Amino acid sequence: MEAVRLTGPLHSHLLRPKQPDFTSLNLSGTHNKKNIHPFKPFIAATVSKPAAEISSKRPSFSSSSSSSSSAAAVTIRQNDASESSLAPPPPRLVVSPDSLKYPSGYLGAVPDRTVADGSNGIIDAMGYLTNILASKAYDVAIESPLQFAPKLSEKLGVKVWLKREDLQPVFSFKLRGAYNMMAKLPKEKLDRGVVCSSAGNHAQGVALAAKRLNCDAVIVMPVTTPEIKWQSVERLGATVVLVGDSYDEAQAYAKKRCEEEDRTFIPPFDHPDVIAGQGTVGMEIVRQIQSPLHAIFVPVGGGGLIAGVAAYVKRVSPQVKIIGVEPSDANAMALSLHHGERVLLDKVGGFADGVAVKEVGEETFHICKELIDGVVLVSRDAICASIKNMYEEKRNILEPAGALALAGAEAYCKYYGLKGENVVAITSGANMNFDKLRIVTELANVGRKQEAVLATVLPEEPGSFKSFCELVGPMNITEFKYRYNSDKGAVVLYSVGVHTASELEAMQERMEYSQLKTYNLTESDLVKDHLRYLMGGRTDVQNEVLCRFVFPERPGALMKFLDVFSPRWNISLFHYRGQGETGANVLVGIQVPSMEMEEFHVRAKGLGYDFVVVNQDTDFRLLMH
């Protein structure tokens, strides 16, 4: 089979039309297919590059392939020789995940394909197509079933299909790409062994591939990796090395060891053979679906899966939308598409750890920029709701990244009022850390809009609590927190079960009519993660700096923190909230005089833990002061 080639201009019929008909925002909530001016997402001031400055220039792609069997797998079209040899690569744009926001379900980050379209193509579509068709992934992977979801379909008014990649031998799609790349390596490279860095599913895919190919594999994982994950890799016969607190540290060690031992590095997503292996998922969907298909929803981390699916589906069924789904706090692909170049996130949310990457792949970004239709962003609550929906539908529990595409499909269908269409969501993995189930059960009903978190200010007088309960009326109170507050108004924090939005609105109107100020805190992660457990500790602390830190889940993390700040300053508050992730959310109060704030920030940054100061958070001031 001829190798994938990226040289030569593409003919326009190999890719999408120059002006594809995107679904645009209709303020009435209906699914509007007219090519009207789309809704402009909120872009926070922290974005350092406006949308108007989107670059039309493609950076050169440097392949990390060690395979000589696929004619080097990729032929690179070089830029002007003098430019590529003399000019250093431009610095990566660093942005915050919070800098790009738009409503849940809205199809945003639509790629700009109006510049040099058809003459500066990113991929040879036929080359990827033939490599996907010839993929060796089926030596280890199964053709996963495409299952109809009757309960979700009835609820949403569309036909929802689940592409069950969570049923693969390692409970994830990752083995497809890993095996496809490794199986193409020449024997002398396999004999020298392979190495990869991963916190979970890719590690298991490489380990299984190595076992099948009788190849020695070293898997480098952060020391924060849950025991269940690295033990699963060891059981497959690979050598596990735990290094560093973060994935970046583990990857740096893996590449160093790769050079020292002359092993082949197996990347998790940014390689043509890996992309082609993942593309077999799209090939199967096209073959399995019997009716016209509106869209395929794909979870996005580094972009290997969505690039592979798009490379196949857009070649054979260009009318099908390929929609990426990312967590709103791990939206590297959406921000890269928005800026027209790969960006680096300054921090990344770890709840959906399978897609928690700070930077998407170079080749995967080029493919996505050419072929996908946009990205839907969803919240942690929505992911938890979809995990519950999947359990009720099929009695299977997905990991957060595995439920991501389903959450995006649900949000998209609701946002646009889609009816009667066929949509596919790829359920990409089921390697759930059991400890994480606690937070999933707490937030699932919030994500389903079946529970609301509220705060109401009551007068501190006899009978006020009884009057409050009467105003709540028939709604079920699922949680209630209150502590006496001297002669001030008492703030009660509570949750109620919700059947309809109008029911909640009616209750809030009753409260306001009775002069009881009520706040809806359902969207506040600070409240749900920390403040709901601290009610009763209301006080004013002099010079208190309130921060949210992410502690690595490993022995010694707390002592490292204390060595930096104590006894230099007094710690006035500490609340740890484990969520079964590689990092734990910790709310910390530290008494720092204003003249010492510069020193505090230097120490906090030097600690190496992600943190944010939340002193001015309105929810904290409401509940704790």
Side-chain angles (χ1 to χ4, degrees):
M1 182 67 67
E2 185 179 352
V4 177
R5 293 177 58 82
L6 305 188
T7 54
L10 291 182
H11 300 293
S12 59
H13 71 276
L14 293 179
L15 297 175
R16 308 184 52 216
K18 290 187 179 181
Q19 293 182 337
D21 184 21
F22 292 118
T23 299
S24 299
L25 172 68
N26 185 329
L27 297 179
S28 65
T30 58
H31 192 68
N32 183 4
K33 295 185 179 180
K34 294 181 180 180
N35 190 14
I36 64 171
H37 183 68
F39 170 80
K40 186 175 182 179
F42 166 71
I43 310 297
T46 50
V47 176
S48 56
K49 183 173 182 180
E53 296 179 16
I54 290 178
S55 170
S56 63
K57 186 175 181 180
R58 173 191 171 184
S60 61
F61 171 60
S62 176
S63 173
S64 60
S65 172
S66 299
S67 172
S68 59
S69 62
S70 299
V74 180
T75 302
I76 306 166
R77 180 179 55 231
Q78 298 289 346
N79 294 330
D80 179 79
S82 59
E83 180 180 1
S84 62
S85 60
L86 299 177
R92 186 75 70 231
L93 183 65
V94 179
V95 298
S96 167
D98 297 331
S99 63
L100 179 63
K101 295 181 180 179
Y102 42 84
S104 178
Y106 171 71
L107 184 59
V110 176
D112 180 6
R113 288 191 276 267
T114 60
V115 180
D117 206 8
S119 63
N120 189 29
I122 301 302
I123 64 167
D124 180 339
M126 183 58 74
Y128 263 105
L129 179 68
T130 55
N131 275 270
I132 290 169
L133 289 169
S135 171
K136 299 178 180 295
Y138 294 107
D139 291 351
V140 291
I142 64 168
E143 179 172 322
S144 59
L146 184 69
Q147 297 177 344
F148 183 63
K151 294 179 182 177
L152 277 171
S153 298
E154 181 179 0
K155 173 184 173 183
L156 297 173
V158 297
K159 298 172 185 175
V160 179
W161 299 87
L162 307 172
K163 180 57 173 167
R164 298 295 306 277
E165 284 299 288
D166 56 298
L167 299 179
Q168 289 291 348
V170 293
F171 308 105
S172 164
F173 72 95
K174 284 287 192 176
L175 80 168
R176 293 178 183 258
Y179 185 86
N180 189 55
M181 177 179 174
M182 291 171 63
K184 289 185 174 183
L185 293 174
K187 186 177 185 302
E188 57 270 21
K189 289 187 177 294
L190 278 177
D191 289 343
R192 288 195 290 268
V194 299
V195 63
C196 82
S197 53
S198 170
N201 293 342
H202 178 58
Q204 293 188 63
V206 172
L208 180 61
K211 183 178 181 180
R212 181 64 181 265
L213 295 168
N214 196 26
C215 166
D216 181 67
V218 173
I219 313 295
V220 184
M221 310 178 84
V223 296
T224 54
T225 304
E227 186 176 1
I228 187 174
K229 291 190 175 182
W230 63 258
Q231 283 185 343
S232 298
V233 174
E234 277 195 338
R235 279 195 290 270
L236 290 168
T239 300
V240 174
V241 180
L242 301 177
V243 174
D245 292 337
S246 68
Y247 173 76
D248 291 340
E249 293 177 31
Q251 185 182 56
Y253 175 84
K255 290 187 175 180
K256 178 175 179 289
R257 186 155 177 176
C258 178
E259 294 177 2
E260 292 174 348
E261 301 179 6
D262 197 22
R263 293 175 179 265
T264 300
F265 184 77
I266 309 299
F269 44 80
D270 201 19
H271 189 280
D273 289 335
V274 174
I275 294 169
Q278 321 300 31
T280 56
V281 176
M283 178 180 67
E284 291 173 12
I285 291 172
V286 171
R287 183 166 61 238
Q288 291 169 327
I289 195 77
Q290 301 300 315
S291 305
L293 181 57
H294 175 77
I296 300 173
F297 292 85
V298 189
V300 179
L305 178 59
I306 192 169
V309 170
Y312 184 88
V313 176
K314 285 299 184 181
R315 180 68 180 94
V316 300
S317 300
Q319 76 283 359
V320 177
K321 294 182 183 297
I322 305 298
I323 298 175
V325 187
E326 291 184 303
S328 56
D329 59 357
N331 53 352
M333 182 64 78
L335 274 163
S336 295
L337 292 172
H338 169 72
H339 287 283
E341 62 180 276
R342 286 195 304 151
V343 302
L344 181 67
L345 299 185
D346 61 1
K347 60 181 180 296
V348 61
F351 181 71
D353 52 357
V355 294
V357 301
K358 290 188 174 182
E359 185 179 33
V360 300
E362 190 170 3
E363 177 70 352
T364 60
F365 172 67
H366 298 150
I367 295 173
C368 290
K369 189 177 178 182
E370 286 288 333
L371 297 180
I372 76 169
D373 292 273
V375 179
V376 169
L377 302 180
V378 296
S379 67
R380 178 182 60 169
D381 300 350
I383 296 171
C384 292
S386 290
I387 293 173
K388 183 175 181 178
N389 288 341
M390 181 66 177
Y391 176 76
E392 293 182 349
E393 189 77 57
K394 301 296 182 183
R395 293 298 185 267
N396 291 104
I397 298 177
L398 299 174
E399 63 182 279
L404 186 59
L406 183 56
E410 292 184 63
Y412 174 90
C413 292
K414 291 176 183 176
Y415 187 87
Y416 290 103
L418 198 66
K419 298 298 177 186
E421 302 278 7
N422 287 284
V423 298
V424 171
I426 300 175
T427 58
S428 59
N431 289 302
M432 167 70 86
N433 184 353
F434 190 80
D435 293 339
K436 195 172 286 188
L437 286 174
R438 176 180 58 197
I439 193 70
V440 170
T441 57
E442 287 180 359
L443 298 179
N445 284 342
V446 172
R448 282 175 150 191
K449 310 299 182 185
Q450 294 177 349
E451 186 176 48
V453 181
L454 306 166
T456 296
V457 182
L458 299 180
E460 195 66 270
E461 61 185 28
S464 61
F465 181 42
K466 181 179 179 181
S467 299
F468 165 81
C469 292
E470 290 172 345
L471 291 170
V472 172
M475 299 186 72
N476 181 40
I477 297 178
T478 57
E479 182 180 28
F480 190 90
K481 304 286 180 65
Y482 157 71
R483 183 72 170 92
Y484 177 72
N485 191 33
S486 184
D487 57 348
K488 299 179 182 178
V491 179
V492 296
L493 180 68
Y494 58 104
S495 299
V496 294
V498 178
H499 294 97
T500 63
S502 59
E503 180 185 33
L504 179 61
E505 291 171 1
M507 191 207 78
Q508 290 181 264
E509 288 176 1
R510 292 195 298 270
M511 294 291 182
E512 297 290 342
Y513 183 78
S514 300
Q515 307 300 310
L516 300 181
K517 185 65 177 177
T518 298
Y519 304 85
N520 192 330
L521 308 179
T522 307
E523 301 299 323
S524 172
D525 288 341
L526 180 62
V527 171
K528 290 177 290 189
D529 287 349
H530 300 290
L531 301 186
R532 71 196 304 176
Y533 304 103
L534 298 174
M535 285 297 293
R538 293 164 56 83
T539 184
D540 288 315
V541 180
Q542 186 177 14
N543 295 326
E544 185 178 53
V545 178
L546 190 76
C547 298
R548 297 185 75 186
F549 281 88
V550 179
F551 278 36
E553 285 280 23
R554 62 165 177 80
L558 175 58
M559 285 307 301
K560 181 180 178 181
F561 172 85
L562 294 175
D563 287 342
V564 170
F565 295 110
S566 179
R568 180 68 178 90
W569 298 294
N570 181 52
I571 295 175
S572 54
L573 181 150
F574 195 94
H575 181 257
Y576 162 75
R577 176 61 177 158
Q579 298 180 351
E581 303 174 18
T582 56
N585 291 328
V586 181
L587 182 66
V588 181
I590 304 176
Q591 289 181 275
V592 182
S594 58
M595 70 284 296
E596 298 172 5
M597 282 300 298
E598 183 176 350
E599 180 188 352
F600 168 79
H601 280 284
V602 170
R603 289 184 176 228
K605 291 177 181 177
L607 177 64
Y609 299 173
D610 287 340
F611 79 100
V612 60
V613 177
V614 294
N615 272 61
Q616 300 306 313
D617 187 273
T618 55
D619 298 331
F620 177 80
R621 302 189 68 81
L622 170 68
L623 298 175
M624 302 301 293
H625 282 286

